[in-house]
Amino acid sequence: MFLIHVDKLNSTDENVRRVLHNLFYDVLNIEFNLATWVRNMCKYGDFYLKLEVSEKFGVYNVIPMSVYEVVREEGTDPENPSYTRFTLDPNGLASGATNTIRRDMFQLENYEVAHFRLLTDSNYLPYGRAFLEPARKVFKQLMLMEDAMLIHRIMRAPEKRTFYVNVGAIPPEQVEQFMAETVNKMKKTPYIDQNTGDYNLKYNMQNITEDFYIPVRGNDNSTRIETTKGLDYDGTQDIEYLKHKMMAALKIPKPFLGYEEGVEGKSTLASMDIRFARTVERIQRIVESELTKIALVHLYSQGFEDKDLVDFKLELTVPSIIYEQEKIELYTAKTAVAGDMLERKLFSKDWVYENVFGLSPDQYNEQKDTMLKDAMDTFRINQLENEGNDPAESGMSYGTPHDLASLYGNKRDKAVGPAQIPTGYDEKEPGRPVEKPQNYGSDQSNFSRDPLGKGGLTPDRVEKPSDGNRISTFEVKNLKKSLQKALNKKQILKEENESGLLSEKNIKS
Protein backbone atom coordinates (compact mmCIF):
# COMPACT_ATOMS: atom_id res chain seq x y z
CA MET A 1 0.00 0.00 0.00
CA PHE A 2 2.74 2.43 0.86
CA LEU A 3 5.83 3.17 -1.21
CA ILE A 4 8.67 3.01 1.28
CA HIS A 5 11.72 2.52 -0.91
CA VAL A 6 14.47 5.09 -0.23
CA ASP A 7 14.58 6.92 -3.54
CA LYS A 8 17.04 9.74 -2.83
CA LEU A 9 19.99 9.89 -0.49
CA ASN A 10 21.77 13.15 -1.27
CA SER A 11 24.87 14.57 0.39
CA THR A 12 27.69 16.85 -0.68
CA ASP A 13 30.18 14.57 1.08
CA GLU A 14 30.87 11.31 -0.71
CA ASN A 15 31.97 9.68 2.56
CA VAL A 16 28.67 10.54 4.28
CA ARG A 17 26.72 9.18 1.32
CA ARG A 18 28.69 5.95 1.35
CA VAL A 19 28.27 5.45 5.11
CA LEU A 20 24.50 6.05 5.01
CA HIS A 21 24.05 3.78 2.00
CA ASN A 22 25.76 1.01 3.97
CA LEU A 23 23.51 1.74 6.99
CA PHE A 24 20.18 1.65 5.17
CA TYR A 25 20.80 -1.10 2.63
CA ASP A 26 23.25 -3.39 4.44
CA VAL A 27 22.56 -2.96 8.15
CA LEU A 28 18.87 -2.02 8.28
CA ASN A 29 17.96 -3.72 4.96
CA ILE A 30 15.04 -1.35 4.56
CA GLU A 31 14.02 -2.81 1.19
CA PHE A 32 12.85 -5.87 3.12
CA ASN A 33 12.12 -4.62 6.65
CA LEU A 34 10.64 -1.16 6.19
CA ALA A 35 7.32 -2.48 4.83
CA THR A 36 6.78 -4.49 8.04
CA TRP A 37 7.75 -1.53 10.22
CA VAL A 38 5.29 0.77 8.48
CA ARG A 39 2.53 -1.85 8.69
CA ASN A 40 2.94 -2.18 12.46
CA MET A 41 3.03 1.59 12.85
CA CYS A 42 -0.24 1.97 10.93
CA LYS A 43 -1.83 -0.92 12.82
CA TYR A 44 -0.92 0.14 16.37
CA GLY A 45 -0.06 3.81 15.90
CA ASP A 46 3.44 3.17 17.32
CA PHE A 47 6.43 1.08 16.45
CA TYR A 48 9.61 0.79 18.53
CA LEU A 49 13.00 -0.15 17.16
CA LYS A 50 15.86 -0.77 19.57
CA LEU A 51 19.19 0.41 18.15
CA GLU A 52 22.35 -1.46 19.06
CA VAL A 53 25.08 1.16 18.84
CA SER A 54 28.85 0.76 18.91
CA GLU A 55 31.26 3.62 19.44
CA LYS A 56 33.35 2.96 16.34
CA PHE A 57 30.89 1.19 14.05
CA GLY A 58 27.68 3.10 14.82
CA VAL A 59 24.34 1.28 14.48
CA TYR A 60 25.18 -2.32 13.71
CA ASN A 61 21.82 -3.98 14.49
CA VAL A 62 18.16 -3.15 15.18
CA ILE A 63 15.62 -5.14 17.19
CA PRO A 64 11.83 -4.55 16.87
CA MET A 65 10.02 -4.28 20.21
CA SER A 66 6.37 -4.98 21.04
CA VAL A 67 4.18 -1.94 21.60
CA TYR A 68 2.71 -3.68 24.65
CA GLU A 69 6.06 -3.74 26.45
CA VAL A 70 7.42 -0.21 25.88
CA VAL A 71 6.52 2.91 27.86
CA ARG A 72 7.57 6.36 26.63
CA GLU A 73 8.42 8.74 29.49
CA GLU A 74 8.64 12.50 28.98
CA GLY A 75 9.17 15.38 31.40
CA THR A 76 10.94 13.31 34.04
CA ASP A 77 13.85 15.77 34.33
CA PRO A 78 12.79 19.28 35.51
CA GLU A 79 16.09 20.77 34.37
CA ASN A 80 15.71 19.32 30.87
CA PRO A 81 12.04 19.41 29.78
CA SER A 82 12.80 17.75 26.44
CA TYR A 83 14.45 14.71 28.06
CA THR A 84 12.88 11.46 26.85
CA ARG A 85 13.51 7.88 27.83
CA PHE A 86 11.86 4.53 27.22
CA THR A 87 11.08 1.84 29.79
CA LEU A 88 10.89 -1.73 28.58
CA ASP A 89 8.61 -3.91 30.71
CA PRO A 90 8.68 -7.51 29.43
CA ASN A 91 6.03 -8.38 32.03
CA GLY A 92 3.48 -5.99 30.57
CA LEU A 93 0.42 -6.74 28.48
CA ALA A 94 2.40 -8.98 26.16
CA SER A 95 3.20 -11.48 28.93
CA GLY A 96 -0.28 -12.94 29.25
CA ALA A 97 0.83 -16.56 29.20
CA THR A 98 1.08 -18.34 32.53
CA ASN A 99 4.36 -20.12 31.75
CA THR A 100 6.35 -17.00 30.77
CA ILE A 101 9.49 -16.15 32.70
CA ARG A 102 9.28 -12.94 34.75
CA ARG A 103 11.99 -10.50 33.69
CA ASP A 104 13.13 -7.21 35.17
CA MET A 105 12.36 -3.80 33.68
CA PHE A 106 15.14 -1.73 32.20
CA GLN A 107 15.37 1.76 30.73
CA LEU A 108 16.65 2.91 27.35
CA GLU A 109 17.85 6.38 26.40
CA ASN A 110 16.34 8.36 23.56
CA TYR A 111 19.20 7.63 21.14
CA GLU A 112 18.77 3.87 21.71
CA VAL A 113 15.17 3.73 20.45
CA ALA A 114 13.60 4.83 17.17
CA HIS A 115 9.93 5.54 17.92
CA PHE A 116 7.74 5.60 14.80
CA ARG A 117 4.39 7.15 15.80
CA LEU A 118 1.40 8.61 13.96
CA LEU A 119 0.80 11.96 15.66
CA THR A 120 -2.71 12.55 14.32
CA ASP A 121 -4.60 13.01 17.61
CA SER A 122 -3.36 14.96 20.63
CA ASN A 123 -5.54 12.86 22.96
CA TYR A 124 -3.19 9.93 22.47
CA LEU A 125 0.06 11.77 23.28
CA PRO A 126 2.85 10.85 23.85
CA TYR A 127 1.80 7.90 21.69
CA GLY A 128 0.41 7.81 18.18
CA ARG A 129 -3.05 6.90 17.02
CA ALA A 130 -3.47 3.85 14.83
CA PHE A 131 -4.33 4.46 11.22
CA LEU A 132 -7.14 1.90 11.58
CA GLU A 133 -8.58 3.44 14.76
CA PRO A 134 -11.36 5.48 13.05
CA ALA A 135 -12.52 2.34 11.22
CA ARG A 136 -12.55 -0.05 14.19
CA LYS A 137 -16.11 0.64 15.33
CA VAL A 138 -17.45 0.66 11.78
CA PHE A 139 -15.66 -2.61 11.05
CA LYS A 140 -17.34 -4.31 14.03
CA GLN A 141 -20.73 -3.02 12.88
CA LEU A 142 -20.02 -4.31 9.39
CA MET A 143 -19.19 -7.78 10.71
CA LEU A 144 -22.37 -7.90 12.81
CA MET A 145 -24.46 -6.73 9.87
CA GLU A 146 -22.99 -9.39 7.58
CA ASP A 147 -23.70 -12.11 10.17
CA ALA A 148 -27.27 -10.87 10.58
CA MET A 149 -27.76 -10.85 6.83
CA LEU A 150 -26.43 -14.39 6.53
CA ILE A 151 -28.65 -15.74 9.31
CA HIS A 152 -31.71 -13.98 7.93
CA ARG A 153 -31.11 -15.33 4.45
CA ILE A 154 -30.64 -18.87 5.72
CA MET A 155 -33.76 -18.79 7.93
CA ARG A 156 -36.16 -16.77 5.80
CA ALA A 157 -35.02 -16.63 2.23
CA PRO A 158 -35.93 -20.20 0.94
CA GLU A 159 -39.34 -20.76 -0.63
CA LYS A 160 -41.75 -23.26 0.96
CA ARG A 161 -44.74 -25.21 -0.28
CA THR A 162 -48.14 -25.57 1.29
CA PHE A 163 -49.96 -28.92 0.84
CA TYR A 164 -53.73 -28.88 1.23
CA VAL A 165 -54.75 -32.53 1.89
CA ASN A 166 -58.41 -33.47 1.71
CA VAL A 167 -59.22 -35.64 4.73
CA GLY A 168 -62.73 -36.50 3.47
CA ALA A 169 -64.91 -38.16 6.11
CA ILE A 170 -62.13 -39.08 8.51
CA PRO A 171 -63.16 -38.45 12.13
CA PRO A 172 -61.53 -35.40 13.69
CA GLU A 173 -59.63 -37.40 16.27
CA GLN A 174 -57.92 -39.39 13.47
CA VAL A 175 -56.96 -36.41 11.27
CA GLU A 176 -53.63 -35.78 13.01
CA GLN A 177 -52.57 -39.42 12.71
CA PHE A 178 -53.63 -39.44 9.06
CA MET A 179 -51.61 -36.29 8.31
CA ALA A 180 -48.50 -37.71 10.02
CA GLU A 181 -48.73 -40.91 8.02
CA THR A 182 -49.20 -38.90 4.83
CA VAL A 183 -46.16 -36.73 5.51
CA ASN A 184 -43.98 -39.75 6.32
CA LYS A 185 -45.01 -41.45 3.12
CA MET A 186 -44.45 -38.35 0.94
CA LYS A 187 -41.17 -37.19 2.38
CA LYS A 188 -38.42 -39.30 3.86
CA THR A 189 -34.86 -38.12 4.49
CA PRO A 190 -32.43 -41.07 4.39
CA TYR A 191 -30.14 -41.25 7.36
CA ILE A 192 -27.01 -43.43 7.60
CA ASP A 193 -26.51 -45.11 10.92
CA GLN A 194 -22.91 -44.59 11.99
CA ASN A 195 -22.83 -47.82 13.96
CA THR A 196 -24.30 -50.24 11.42
CA GLY A 197 -23.86 -48.29 8.17
CA ASP A 198 -27.51 -48.99 7.18
CA TYR A 199 -30.03 -46.50 5.81
CA ASN A 200 -32.74 -45.50 8.25
CA LEU A 201 -35.71 -44.29 6.20
CA LYS A 202 -37.85 -43.68 9.26
CA TYR A 203 -35.73 -40.74 10.40
CA ASN A 204 -37.09 -37.43 9.09
CA MET A 205 -34.62 -34.59 9.57
CA GLN A 206 -36.12 -31.19 10.33
CA ASN A 207 -34.61 -28.44 8.18
CA ILE A 208 -35.34 -25.02 6.79
CA THR A 209 -36.98 -26.47 3.71
CA GLU A 210 -39.79 -28.00 5.79
CA ASP A 211 -43.16 -27.68 4.09
CA PHE A 212 -46.62 -26.97 5.47
CA TYR A 213 -49.38 -29.69 5.46
CA ILE A 214 -52.91 -28.42 6.10
CA PRO A 215 -55.94 -30.74 6.20
CA VAL A 216 -59.11 -29.48 4.45
CA ARG A 217 -62.69 -30.81 4.16
CA GLY A 218 -66.07 -29.56 3.19
CA ASN A 219 -66.63 -27.74 -0.07
CA ASP A 220 -62.89 -27.90 -1.00
CA ASN A 221 -62.61 -31.55 -1.96
CA SER A 222 -59.47 -31.34 -4.13
CA THR A 223 -55.91 -31.67 -2.91
CA ARG A 224 -53.68 -28.83 -4.13
CA ILE A 225 -50.13 -27.53 -3.58
CA GLU A 226 -49.27 -23.83 -3.33
CA THR A 227 -45.85 -22.17 -3.17
CA THR A 228 -45.19 -19.62 -0.44
CA LYS A 229 -42.87 -16.88 -1.66
CA GLY A 230 -39.66 -16.32 0.27
CA LEU A 231 -39.04 -13.09 2.16
CA ASP A 232 -37.60 -10.22 0.11
CA TYR A 233 -34.56 -9.11 2.11
CA ASP A 234 -32.68 -5.93 1.16
CA GLY A 235 -30.08 -5.83 3.92
CA THR A 236 -27.23 -5.42 1.44
CA GLN A 237 -27.90 -1.67 1.36
CA ASP A 238 -27.03 -1.45 5.04
CA ILE A 239 -23.83 -3.39 4.39
CA GLU A 240 -22.89 -1.10 1.51
CA TYR A 241 -23.46 1.92 3.73
CA LEU A 242 -21.15 0.55 6.45
CA LYS A 243 -18.58 -0.44 3.84
CA HIS A 244 -18.49 3.10 2.41
CA LYS A 245 -18.16 4.46 5.92
CA MET A 246 -15.25 2.15 6.66
CA MET A 247 -13.47 3.15 3.45
CA ALA A 248 -13.86 6.81 4.34
CA ALA A 249 -12.28 6.14 7.73
CA LEU A 250 -9.36 4.26 6.13
CA LYS A 251 -8.80 7.07 3.57
CA ILE A 252 -8.12 4.43 0.90
CA PRO A 253 -10.03 4.54 -2.42
CA LYS A 254 -12.24 1.52 -2.96
CA PRO A 255 -10.80 0.65 -6.40
CA PHE A 256 -7.39 0.25 -4.75
CA LEU A 257 -8.74 -2.52 -2.51
CA GLY A 258 -10.80 -4.20 -5.21
CA TYR A 259 -14.23 -3.26 -3.83
CA GLU A 260 -15.19 -1.32 -6.95
CA GLU A 261 -14.63 -2.87 -10.35
CA GLY A 262 -15.46 0.08 -12.59
CA VAL A 263 -14.98 3.79 -12.11
CA GLU A 264 -16.69 6.63 -13.92
CA GLY A 265 -13.57 7.84 -15.68
CA LYS A 266 -9.85 8.33 -15.52
CA SER A 267 -10.27 11.77 -13.96
CA THR A 268 -12.19 10.23 -11.05
CA LEU A 269 -9.50 7.65 -10.42
CA ALA A 270 -6.81 10.33 -10.78
CA SER A 271 -8.46 12.52 -8.16
CA MET A 272 -8.73 9.51 -5.83
CA ASP A 273 -5.08 8.74 -6.43
CA ILE A 274 -4.02 12.31 -5.57
CA ARG A 275 -6.02 12.36 -2.33
CA PHE A 276 -4.59 9.02 -1.31
CA ALA A 277 -1.08 10.22 -2.25
CA ARG A 278 -1.40 13.08 0.23
CA THR A 279 -2.26 10.60 2.97
CA VAL A 280 0.71 8.42 2.08
CA GLU A 281 2.95 11.49 2.00
CA ARG A 282 2.04 12.36 5.61
CA ILE A 283 3.00 8.87 6.72
CA GLN A 284 6.22 9.05 4.73
CA ARG A 285 7.26 12.23 6.57
CA ILE A 286 6.98 10.37 9.89
CA VAL A 287 9.07 7.50 8.54
CA GLU A 288 11.66 9.92 7.13
CA SER A 289 12.03 11.70 10.48
CA GLU A 290 12.84 8.49 12.34
CA LEU A 291 15.15 7.22 9.62
CA THR A 292 16.95 10.56 9.83
CA LYS A 293 17.30 10.08 13.60
CA ILE A 294 18.86 6.65 13.05
CA ALA A 295 21.25 8.16 10.49
CA LEU A 296 22.29 10.92 12.95
CA VAL A 297 23.03 8.38 15.67
CA HIS A 298 25.02 6.29 13.19
CA LEU A 299 27.10 9.23 11.90
CA TYR A 300 27.78 10.65 15.36
CA SER A 301 28.94 7.26 16.61
CA GLN A 302 31.42 7.06 13.73
CA GLY A 303 32.92 10.47 14.56
CA PHE A 304 31.07 12.87 12.25
CA GLU A 305 30.42 16.27 13.82
CA ASP A 306 29.14 19.78 13.08
CA LYS A 307 28.02 20.33 9.48
CA ASP A 308 29.05 16.83 8.33
CA LEU A 309 26.54 15.40 10.80
CA VAL A 310 23.55 16.96 9.03
CA ASP A 311 24.95 17.10 5.50
CA PHE A 312 22.44 14.70 3.95
CA LYS A 313 18.84 14.57 2.78
CA LEU A 314 16.65 11.48 2.82
CA GLU A 315 13.57 11.09 0.60
CA LEU A 316 11.20 8.19 0.03
CA THR A 317 9.65 7.18 -3.28
CA VAL A 318 6.97 9.49 -4.67
CA PRO A 319 3.64 7.81 -3.79
CA SER A 320 1.81 8.72 -7.01
CA ILE A 321 2.88 9.40 -10.58
CA ILE A 322 -0.33 11.36 -11.17
CA TYR A 323 0.43 13.49 -8.12
CA GLU A 324 3.87 14.20 -9.54
CA GLN A 325 2.37 15.04 -12.93
CA GLU A 326 0.04 17.56 -11.28
CA LYS A 327 3.09 19.26 -9.75
CA ILE A 328 4.80 19.41 -13.15
CA GLU A 329 1.71 20.92 -14.76
CA LEU A 330 1.55 23.53 -12.00
CA TYR A 331 5.19 24.52 -12.55
CA THR A 332 4.58 24.63 -16.30
CA ALA A 333 1.67 27.04 -15.86
CA LYS A 334 3.67 29.24 -13.50
CA THR A 335 6.61 29.31 -15.91
CA ALA A 336 4.34 30.33 -18.79
CA VAL A 337 2.79 33.16 -16.76
CA ALA A 338 6.19 34.38 -15.54
CA GLY A 339 7.64 34.34 -19.07
CA ASP A 340 4.65 36.27 -20.41
CA MET A 341 5.01 38.90 -17.67
CA LEU A 342 8.70 39.39 -18.33
CA GLU A 343 8.26 39.46 -22.12
CA ARG A 344 5.64 42.19 -21.89
CA LYS A 345 7.72 44.04 -19.28
CA LEU A 346 4.86 44.20 -16.83
CA PHE A 347 6.84 43.25 -13.73
CA SER A 348 10.46 42.86 -12.71
CA LYS A 349 12.17 39.53 -12.22
CA ASP A 350 12.28 39.97 -8.46
CA TRP A 351 8.52 40.56 -8.35
CA VAL A 352 7.91 37.42 -10.43
CA TYR A 353 10.19 35.36 -8.21
CA GLU A 354 8.44 36.54 -5.08
CA ASN A 355 4.76 36.55 -6.15
CA VAL A 356 4.50 33.84 -8.82
CA PHE A 357 6.94 31.28 -7.42
CA GLY A 358 6.71 32.32 -3.76
CA LEU A 359 10.45 32.67 -3.17
CA SER A 360 11.98 34.94 -0.56
CA PRO A 361 14.72 37.45 -1.53
CA ASP A 362 17.39 35.20 -0.06
CA GLN A 363 16.13 32.25 -2.08
CA TYR A 364 15.91 33.93 -5.47
CA ASN A 365 19.24 35.74 -4.96
CA GLU A 366 20.78 32.35 -4.28
CA GLN A 367 19.18 31.06 -7.47
CA LYS A 368 20.68 33.94 -9.44
CA ASP A 369 24.16 33.08 -8.15
CA THR A 370 23.56 29.45 -9.04
CA MET A 371 22.50 30.46 -12.57
CA LEU A 372 25.85 32.22 -13.01
CA LYS A 373 27.64 29.04 -12.02
CA ASP A 374 25.51 27.08 -14.48
CA ALA A 375 26.43 29.52 -17.26
CA MET A 376 30.13 29.08 -16.50
CA ASP A 377 29.76 25.31 -16.53
CA THR A 378 27.93 25.48 -19.88
CA PHE A 379 30.67 27.69 -21.37
CA ARG A 380 33.34 25.29 -20.14
CA ILE A 381 31.56 22.32 -21.70
CA ASN A 382 31.16 24.15 -25.02
CA GLN A 383 34.87 25.04 -25.07
CA LEU A 384 35.81 21.42 -24.43
CA GLU A 385 33.44 20.13 -27.13
CA ASN A 386 34.19 22.72 -29.85
CA GLU A 387 37.76 23.88 -29.22
CA GLY A 388 39.29 21.17 -27.02
CA ASN A 389 40.19 23.87 -24.50
CA ASP A 390 39.46 23.80 -20.78
CA PRO A 391 39.21 27.43 -19.59
CA ALA A 392 39.61 26.33 -15.96
CA GLU A 393 43.14 25.09 -16.76
CA SER A 394 44.32 27.37 -19.58
CA GLY A 395 42.70 30.56 -18.30
CA MET A 396 41.85 31.57 -21.89
CA SER A 397 39.00 31.14 -24.36
CA TYR A 398 39.15 30.23 -28.04
CA GLY A 399 36.75 30.67 -30.93
CA THR A 400 34.23 32.91 -29.21
CA PRO A 401 32.68 35.81 -31.18
CA HIS A 402 34.66 38.26 -29.05
CA ASP A 403 37.90 36.46 -29.82
CA LEU A 404 37.23 36.57 -33.55
CA ALA A 405 36.10 40.22 -33.56
CA SER A 406 39.02 41.49 -31.52
CA LEU A 407 41.71 39.44 -33.25
CA TYR A 408 43.09 42.59 -35.00
CA GLY A 409 41.23 45.15 -32.92
CA ASN A 410 42.65 48.35 -31.47
CA LYS A 411 42.61 47.05 -27.93
CA ARG A 412 44.36 43.78 -28.58
CA ASP A 413 46.96 43.03 -25.99
CA LYS A 414 50.48 43.09 -27.47
CA ALA A 415 51.61 40.13 -25.51
CA VAL A 416 53.87 37.31 -26.55
CA GLY A 417 51.81 34.38 -27.71
CA PRO A 418 48.57 33.87 -29.59
CA ALA A 419 47.43 37.43 -28.86
CA GLN A 420 50.43 39.09 -30.61
CA ILE A 421 49.58 41.50 -33.47
CA PRO A 422 51.24 40.64 -36.78
CA THR A 423 53.92 43.00 -38.06
CA GLY A 424 52.64 45.85 -40.19
CA TYR A 425 49.37 46.46 -38.31
CA ASP A 426 48.82 49.42 -36.03
CA GLU A 427 46.19 50.21 -33.49
CA LYS A 428 44.97 53.53 -34.91
CA GLU A 429 41.34 54.14 -35.58
CA PRO A 430 40.24 53.36 -39.15
CA GLY A 431 39.72 56.29 -41.60
CA ARG A 432 41.85 59.09 -43.15
CA PRO A 433 45.37 59.16 -41.72
CA VAL A 434 46.25 62.13 -39.49
CA GLU A 435 48.45 64.69 -41.32
CA LYS A 436 50.86 66.83 -39.30
CA PRO A 437 51.34 70.41 -40.61
CA GLN A 438 55.15 70.32 -40.28
CA ASN A 439 55.33 67.20 -42.47
CA TYR A 440 53.19 68.55 -45.26
CA GLY A 441 55.01 68.59 -48.58
CA SER A 442 57.95 66.58 -47.26
CA ASP A 443 59.13 63.02 -47.42
CA GLN A 444 57.54 62.34 -43.98
CA SER A 445 54.13 63.32 -45.32
CA ASN A 446 51.51 60.60 -45.75
CA PHE A 447 50.76 61.95 -49.22
CA SER A 448 54.32 62.42 -50.64
CA ARG A 449 56.23 65.64 -51.25
CA ASP A 450 53.72 66.86 -53.83
CA PRO A 451 50.21 65.97 -52.53
CA LEU A 452 48.45 68.32 -54.94
CA GLY A 453 50.64 67.61 -58.00
CA LYS A 454 51.88 71.21 -58.39
CA GLY A 455 55.34 70.10 -59.46
CA GLY A 456 54.12 68.98 -62.81
CA LEU A 457 52.01 72.08 -63.41
CA THR A 458 54.65 74.91 -62.98
CA PRO A 459 56.02 76.57 -66.25
CA ASP A 460 59.67 76.34 -67.28
CA ARG A 461 61.92 78.85 -65.48
CA VAL A 462 63.81 81.38 -67.63
CA GLU A 463 67.57 80.90 -67.44
CA LYS A 464 69.68 83.76 -66.09
CA PRO A 465 73.23 84.63 -67.08
CA SER A 466 74.43 83.67 -63.66
CA ASP A 467 73.01 80.21 -63.99
CA GLY A 468 76.04 79.14 -65.99
CA ASN A 469 78.55 80.01 -63.23
CA ARG A 470 77.67 77.06 -61.10
CA ILE A 471 80.03 75.33 -58.82
CA SER A 472 80.04 71.72 -57.89
CA THR A 473 78.02 70.40 -55.01
CA PHE A 474 81.11 69.03 -53.32
CA GLU A 475 82.73 72.48 -53.24
CA VAL A 476 79.59 74.10 -51.88
CA LYS A 477 79.62 71.70 -48.96
CA ASN A 478 83.22 72.60 -48.15
CA LEU A 479 82.44 76.33 -48.23
CA LYS A 480 79.52 75.84 -45.88
CA LYS A 481 81.63 73.95 -43.42
CA SER A 482 84.39 76.63 -43.42
CA LEU A 483 81.91 79.44 -42.97
CA GLN A 484 80.26 77.64 -40.11
CA LYS A 485 83.63 77.29 -38.37
CA ALA A 486 84.32 81.00 -38.80
CA LEU A 487 80.94 82.06 -37.52
CA ASN A 488 81.06 79.67 -34.62
CA LYS A 489 84.64 80.61 -33.59
CA LYS A 490 84.70 81.72 -29.94
CA GLN A 491 86.52 84.89 -28.68
CA ILE A 492 87.91 85.32 -25.17
CA LEU A 493 87.25 88.79 -23.76
CA LYS A 494 90.00 90.34 -21.54
CA GLU A 495 89.97 93.60 -19.51
CA GLU A 496 93.61 94.39 -20.29
CA ASN A 497 92.72 95.08 -23.92
CA GLU A 498 92.06 98.80 -24.02
CA SER A 499 90.29 98.63 -27.35
CA GLY A 500 88.18 95.65 -26.37
CA LEU A 501 84.56 95.52 -25.51
CA LEU A 502 85.34 95.56 -21.81
CA SER A 503 87.44 98.66 -21.94
CA GLU A 504 86.29 101.52 -19.76
CA LYS A 505 86.76 103.82 -22.68
CA ASN A 506 83.63 102.49 -24.15
CA ILE A 507 81.58 103.94 -21.28
CA LYS A 508 79.74 106.97 -22.41
CA SER A 509 78.98 109.90 -20.16
Side-chain angles (χ1 to χ4, degrees), residues 358-370:
L359 300 178
S360 63
D362 294 339
Q363 289 176 330
Y364 61 71
N365 287 329
E366 182 181 356
Q367 292 301 318
K368 289 180 180 179
D369 296 338
T370 308

Side-chain angles (χ1 to χ4, degrees), residues 117-374:
R117 52 178 178 168
L118 294 174
L119 297 177
T120 55
D121 194 342
S122 59
N123 296 324
Y124 290 81
L125 291 176
Y127 303 101
R129 190 190 72 169
F131 192 79
L132 305 176
E133 181 65 25
R136 274 182 40 182
K137 182 179 177 181
V138 182
F139 179 74
K140 291 181 180 179
Q141 293 174 349
L142 180 63
M143 293 296 101
L144 293 175
M145 184 62 67
E146 289 180 350
D147 293 342
M149 180 194 69
L150 182 62
I151 294 173
H152 197 280
R153 280 185 175 276
I154 293 174
M155 297 298 296
R156 301 293 182 183
E159 295 182 352
K160 295 185 179 182
R161 291 169 295 180
T162 303
F163 293 83
Y164 295 92
V165 181
N166 188 359
V167 294
I170 299 176
E173 61 273 9
Q174 298 179 3
V175 169
E176 183 176 358
Q177 181 180 359
F178 172 75
M179 292 299 297
E181 291 176 357
T182 302
V183 170
N184 290 332
K185 289 180 181 178
M186 295 178 62
K187 186 174 184 180
K188 294 283 186 178
T189 302
Y191 171 73
I192 300 177
D193 191 352
Q194 297 294 334
N195 296 325
T196 61
D198 299 332
Y199 284 99
N200 186 0
L201 298 180
K202 295 182 179 180
Y203 181 80
N204 191 1
M205 182 182 296
Q206 298 292 330
N207 52 46
I208 61 174
T209 61
E210 201 62 47
D211 297 325
F212 300 101
Y213 295 87
I214 301 175
V216 294
R217 70 171 64 190
N219 295 330
D220 192 357
N221 296 326
S222 62
T223 300
R224 68 183 187 274
I225 301 175
E226 295 181 355
T227 302
T228 303
K229 186 179 179 181
L231 181 64
D232 292 334
Y233 179 72
D234 198 13
T236 55
Q237 293 184 354
D238 300 334
I239 294 178
E240 289 297 325
Y241 165 75
L242 293 176
K243 189 182 297 181
H244 289 307
K245 193 174 181 181
M246 184 182 68
M247 294 300 166
L250 291 176
K251 298 183 180 63
I252 301 175
K254 291 191 297 181
F256 289 10
L257 297 179
Y259 284 97
E260 189 172 349
E261 296 181 356
V263 293
E264 298 176 359
K266 294 183 179 179
S267 60
T268 305
L269 184 59
S271 60
M272 291 181 184
D273 186 74
I274 293 173
R275 289 198 301 269
F276 181 56
R278 293 193 183 100
T279 304
V280 176
E281 206 171 38
R282 287 195 293 269
I283 298 177
Q284 284 185 342
R285 292 194 198 103
I286 298 172
V287 176
E288 287 175 5
S289 65
E290 290 305 312
L291 293 179
T292 303
K293 175 184 175 182
I294 298 174
L296 290 175
V297 173
H298 185 69
L299 292 175
Y300 186 80
S301 302
Q302 291 197 3
F304 292 89
E305 295 181 354
D306 300 332
K307 65 177 182 179
D308 295 336
L309 190 61
V310 294
D311 186 17
F312 67 92
K313 184 179 180 182
L314 181 66
E315 293 182 7
L316 297 179
T317 308
V318 177
S320 170
I321 299 178
I322 301 177
Y323 184 44
E324 198 69 14
Q325 290 176 348
E326 291 288 338
K327 284 185 177 181
I328 295 174
E329 292 179 1
L330 177 62
Y331 279 117
T332 304
K334 286 185 176 182
T335 304
V337 172
D340 194 16
M341 289 180 175
L342 294 176
E343 183 179 359
R344 297 186 180 186
K345 299 181 181 179
L346 299 176
F347 300 97
S348 63
K349 286 186 178 180
D350 294 346
W351 190 94
V352 172
Y353 276 127
E354 190 168 350
N355 293 276
V356 178
F357 296 99
L359 300 178
S360 63
D362 294 339
Q363 289 176 330
Y364 61 71
N365 287 329
E366 182 181 356
Q367 292 301 318
K368 289 180 180 179
D369 296 338
T370 308
M371 290 168 61
L372 295 177
K373 295 180 180 178
D374 293 341

